[in-house]
Amino acid sequence: MCIRDRHMVDENFVMNVAPILDAVLVDGFKDGHKQLVCCCGEGRDGALRRGVMGMEMCVMLQAQIDGLAQPQLLSLRSGDDKGCTLLLSYRGENKTQALGVSAAGEIETPNLPGLKTDSATVAAFCLSGDPSSFIQVASTVVVTVDKGRATSEWEVPEPVVLASCSLPVVAVAACSTVWFLAHHPAHKLKMVSELKVQHQASISGLELILTNGVTGHVAVGTWSKANTGPQVSLYSFSNECRLLAQFALPAAAPAKSFSFVHHGGGLELLAGLAEGTVLQLSWKKNDRAFDQVDRVCLLYTSPSPRDS
């Protein structure tokens, strides 16, 4: 800033970093380190930025990124030294843009035939190391693309809000229903199961993990102001879902983020709650199954506002 004619004047324009509207952790860069790509800023001088070694936020693409359009960053491919492919989705405007990022961190324009660009993308899952083979979960349809060719579409009865994938099964959730779609070798999608949550409850979180390719577990977070408040429900999954346990959450807001951790002796679920709290559920492997909950633990990552 400088003073000219008694007025403060911008001498140099500074790229807006805050607020960070969405972010995704990717690899594929030539330095061998994972990097955080952020969708930063609202309106004028918004940008995509990437964190370099945790030291600085380099500009990748200067763009008009409007927070009202609900931007969302999705990683479609990463894991080698050839860069990565990102999807920038705008839920408020029903559009999706593909962005290629080279190993040097430069923005490229990838060729992704079969990608539905006229719909907001809720989630995308790569089927192989080739980014031209993927499953795109849009707001109204689930599409399978094999080497740039759309091979299967499944129209969702209600707008999708969440999705989770543990191949060969994709779980997509609307307000109160979860559909489980099997991806077959012929690249066709087929619904194999349907799960409806309790009456007047809305789905806030979803995570699926298959432990041997055909069976596994599903975690569903629900929220109901009228009845039970926030809950986490745990199901075993094969061709149908069987309820194992339900837990009422000691939080004023629903659980939205879930992560399954599978190891040789058991299975753990971490659920992010409000007020810096994490719910940890543990199973031990009994008779080749994980049907018995072994331990429930609340982990406080920050002091509760009520206690401060």
Side-chain angles (χ1 to χ4, degrees):
M1 302 288 288
C2 64
I3 299 177
R4 292 179 184 170
D5 299 327
R6 302 180 186 179
H7 295 284
M8 295 294 293
V9 179
D10 285 330
E11 183 71 16
N12 296 300
F13 290 102
V14 179
M15 192 68 69
N16 184 19
V17 176
I20 295 178
L21 303 172
D22 200 10
V24 62
L25 186 66
V26 299
D27 53 14
F29 298 100
K30 61 183 181 182
D31 60 8
H33 293 89
K34 291 182 180 291
Q35 297 185 11
L36 187 67
V37 178
C38 302
C39 182
C40 302
E42 292 182 332
R44 177 183 175 181
D45 292 336
L48 287 182
R49 289 173 172 260
R50 64 185 178 96
V52 182
M53 301 280 295
M55 298 297 293
E56 58 178 327
M57 296 295 290
C58 293
V59 178
M60 298 174 63
L61 175 68
Q62 185 171 344
Q64 298 296 320
I65 297 174
D66 185 1
L68 296 178
Q70 304 174 48
Q72 180 182 15
L73 271 177
L74 303 166
S75 176
L76 183 58
R77 176 185 71 96
S78 63
D80 53 29
D81 58 355
K82 298 180 181 179
C84 61
T85 302
L86 302 177
L87 298 182
L88 179 57
S89 173
Y90 292 93
R91 292 197 181 190
E93 296 183 357
N94 284 327
K95 67 178 182 179
T96 299
Q97 178 184 2
L99 300 171
V101 184
S102 70
E106 302 296 330
I107 289 290
E108 302 173 337
T109 302
N111 183 22
L112 282 182
L115 178 71
K116 293 184 69 66
T117 59
D118 58 350
S119 299
T121 301
V122 178
F125 310 103
C126 196
L127 295 176
S128 64
D130 183 358
S132 64
S133 298
F134 58 89
I135 295 176
Q136 180 187 9
V137 181
S139 54
T140 59
V141 66
V142 182
V143 181
T144 301
V145 178
D146 177 33
K147 297 181 179 179
R149 183 174 61 91
T151 59
S152 180
E153 289 191 4
W154 192 81
E155 293 187 2
V156 187
E158 302 175 47
V160 177
V161 295
L162 292 167
S164 180
C165 179
S166 182
L167 290 174
V169 178
V170 180
V172 294
C175 179
S176 58
T177 307
V178 182
W179 297 277
F180 298 90
L181 310 177
H183 174 257
H184 295 282
H187 301 284
K188 299 294 183 181
L189 290 170
K190 179 182 179 181
M191 190 182 77
V192 294
S193 185
E194 178 179 303
L195 171 66
K196 289 187 177 293
V197 301
Q198 63 187 27
H199 182 59
Q200 294 184 341
S202 298
I203 295 175
S204 61
L206 175 67
E207 181 76 354
L208 167 69
I209 183 172
L210 300 183
T211 52
N212 63 4
V214 293
T215 62
H217 287 82
V218 183
V220 180
T222 56
W223 167 252
S224 174
K225 290 184 178 180
N227 298 324
T228 58
Q231 283 189 334
V232 172
S233 301
L234 304 169
Y235 300 86
S236 62
F237 173 80
S238 53
N239 286 330
E240 61 182 17
C241 293
R242 180 169 62 89
L243 181 65
L244 298 179
Q246 284 184 323
F247 300 90
L249 302 180
K256 294 184 177 180
S257 58
F258 293 95
S259 178
F260 272 117
V261 180
H262 180 217
H263 48 81
L267 183 70
E268 289 187 352
L269 169 70
L270 300 177
L273 312 181
E275 301 174 356
T277 307
V278 176
L279 175 68
Q280 180 186 24
L281 303 174
S282 301
W283 294 265
K284 283 186 177 180
K285 191 172 184 179
N286 297 316
D287 299 327
R288 300 181 181 179
F290 295 95
D291 288 353
Q292 184 176 357
V293 177
D294 176 61
R295 186 164 66 100
V296 180
C297 181
L298 285 174
L299 308 175
Y300 294 92
T301 58
S302 64
S304 170
R306 292 189 299 268
D307 299 332
S308 59

